[in-house]
Amino acid sequence: MLVDQFGRTIDYVRISVTDKCDLRCTYCIPEGFRDFEVPQNWLTFDEIALIARNFTELGVKRFRLTGGEPLLRKDLPQLVEIIKKIPGVEDLSMTTNATQLSKHAVALRNAGLDRLNISLDGLSTSVIKEITGLNCFNKVYDGIMAAKDAGFEQIKINMVPMLNINDNQIEPMIQFCIDNDFILRMIEVMPMGHTGQQTQGKNLSDFLRQIYHKYDLIESTEVRGGGPARYWKSKDGKFTLGLITPISQHFCETCNRVRLSVDGTLFMCLGQNDDYALRDLIRSPDCTDEAIKSAIYEAINLKPKKHEFIEDDTKITRFMSMTGG
Ligand code: SAM
């Protein structure tokens, strides 16, 4: 078992398969940004599997593929298949912007992907263009429907509500999720990179108080997921809401995860700079499983107690896409 110095068990690893993305969401990758990791530094699928297997042998049960946009990485269903075959993997999920999903949904499902989170910040084509920099709503919508048709259940729709940008999209998004049996997950903006730092997100704890009675919500523990969201369900069972509130109500004391970036660096916390580079170790000719496990233990020891998004909101200069959201 992996237990950090604050007694938290680490059983969840998020794997970034690329730091590239086809969108330029205003709170994430800045327009014109080109400084992406070079391909020779990307972990290969075999290297990712080697690290994942060592994590499972230390008690990790859940993995999520993310990025950047994970579906920009060629042959991703192959990686899904490889990870799913590792003994001890109980849950493999992916977070995607869905622009490429209509092409890949069936292959991902057949490869064994268990769950999908899809990012969508509104239902208006112009709002989506304004946020993502691309006229991509129809492609994303088709991708979401393709995932539903491919048989993915409990699809979660990630929305980042921003003041005066897309907060008028919240009601239509709730209705869209009710109509399609999706779970709406709202995320507070984190001050990551200058993009995140310049964005004014919505306080979701206040928002919950505002809509609690309107939708007759009760707290729910039914939803599957290894992450930090807390869930509520309407009493009629039709609407499920998940909230991720790193700013208004942080959840660091229950943090159970670390992130592996595309170049093989383990990040211990989104809101701190502690990291541990694994790539050189796993590429050294005499690398053993024992050495990898001992490096993982050392890394977990670096996991900080909490983020400092509020105390020091300019500390994190990397964008979310660099760590793997
Ligand atoms: N490209 C994929 C996608 O769009 O879902 C996966 C990576 S993306 C970085 C993962 C999630 O992080 C998305 O839901 C995105 O909205 C969210 N995100 C990015 N920057 C953020 C920030 N500064 N604060 C909060 N959420 C952020």
Side-chain angles (χ1 to χ4, degrees):
M1 288 250 284
L2 286 171
V3 180
D4 75 2
Q5 52 173 329
F6 303 102
R8 297 170 296 196
T9 300
I10 309 303
D11 59 7
Y12 182 30
V13 176
R14 298 171 78 114
I15 300 170
S16 172
V17 293
T18 178
D19 56 345
K20 289 191 172 163
C21 189
D22 49 342
L23 303 183
R24 292 290 176 271
C25 296
T26 46
Y27 48 81
C28 194
I29 305 180
E31 221 185 312
F33 180 81
R34 300 250 182 284
D35 196 12
F36 296 107
E37 195 51 72
V38 292
Q40 61 265 33
N41 287 345
W42 301 352
L43 294 189
T44 64
F45 287 178
D46 284 347
E47 289 170 339
I48 291 172
L50 174 68
I51 294 174
R53 180 175 56 74
N54 276 281
F55 265 112
T56 57
E57 287 166 7
L58 294 171
V60 168
K61 300 182 179 74
R62 295 165 181 268
F63 293 89
R64 171 174 296 276
L65 302 177
T66 182
E69 173 44 44
L71 289 176
L72 295 187
R73 181 86 185 244
K74 207 165 156 253
D75 300 326
L76 197 71
Q78 266 180 30
L79 179 64
V80 169
E81 217 173 318
I82 294 170
I83 296 180
K84 277 294 284 189
K85 282 193 184 134
I86 298 173
V89 174
E90 289 178 4
D91 184 60
L92 178 62
S93 55
M94 184 173 84
T95 303
T96 174
N97 64 27
T99 58
Q100 317 291 313
L101 195 53
S102 35
K103 280 184 272 171
H104 300 294
V106 170
L108 289 164
R109 188 77 188 140
N110 291 343
L113 189 71
D114 293 302
R115 297 183 298 112
L116 268 174
N117 288 18
I118 300 175
S119 302
L120 179 66
D121 288 335
L123 290 170
S124 144
T125 48
S126 58
V127 169
I128 291 302
K129 186 171 179 212
E130 190 187 338
I131 295 172
T132 65
L134 206 74
N135 199 2
C136 63
F137 177 78
N138 290 339
K139 249 177 144 182
V140 172
Y141 183 88
D142 291 350
I144 294 174
M145 293 308 156
K148 197 177 166 188
D149 291 346
F152 284 100
E153 288 173 3
Q154 289 213 324
I155 293 175
K156 292 175 185 152
I157 304 292
N158 283 355
M159 176 184 193
V160 178
M162 291 166 278
L163 292 182
N164 304 322
I165 306 278
N166 66 342
D167 40 4
N168 64 354
Q169 297 294 300
I170 292 176
E171 289 289 335
M173 286 287 282
I174 291 176
Q175 199 52 53
F176 172 68
C177 289
I178 292 174
D179 293 346
N180 286 285
D181 207 14
F182 297 147
I183 296 166
L184 180 62
R185 275 189 1 151
M186 295 186 179
I187 308 171
E188 283 177 348
V189 174
M190 288 167 251
M192 301 190 64
H194 63 83
T195 44
Q197 287 157 17
Q198 283 161 6
T199 305
Q200 230 193 331
K202 208 171 161 68
N203 178 318
L204 296 179
S205 300
D206 289 349
F207 169 73
L208 177 67
R209 281 188 280 276
Q210 287 156 19
I211 65 154
Y212 198 82
H213 292 297
K214 179 170 180 188
Y215 289 96
D216 227 353
L217 297 175
I218 39 174
E219 205 154 358
S220 165
T221 50
E222 279 170 33
V223 183
R224 248 175 105 194
R230 289 171 300 137
Y231 290 95
W232 287 265
K233 224 175 166 76
S234 59
K235 277 193 192 134
D236 64 9
K238 289 185 178 153
F239 173 44
T240 307
L241 174 69
L243 296 180
I244 302 184
T245 55
I247 308 300
S248 65
Q249 194 183 349
H250 78 76
F251 35 80
C252 301
E253 61 288 348
T254 58
C255 185
N256 61 345
R257 74 214 68 125
V258 293
R259 290 175 165 82
L260 179 66
S261 70
V262 65
D263 71 346
T265 305
L266 278 176
F267 283 96
M268 303 302 134
C269 169
L270 277 181
Q272 295 285 4
N273 289 315
D274 309 85
D275 63 10
Y276 194 103
L278 288 178
R279 192 184 66 236
D280 286 352
L281 169 71
I282 60 164
R283 287 191 179 170
S284 68
D286 49 356
C287 176
T288 59
D289 282 355
E290 210 178 22
I292 296 173
K293 288 193 180 72
S294 124
I296 291 174
Y297 276 122
E298 262 182 61
I300 297 299
N301 250 334
L302 299 175
K303 192 168 166 63
K305 188 170 183 192
K306 60 189 278 294
H307 69 65
E308 289 172 310
F309 283 140
I310 293 167
E311 300 86 329
D312 191 355
D313 64 2
T314 54
K315 182 171 194 172
I316 304 303
T317 53
R318 52 179 202 277
F319 319 117
M320 179 75 90
S321 57
M322 292 169 152
T323 317

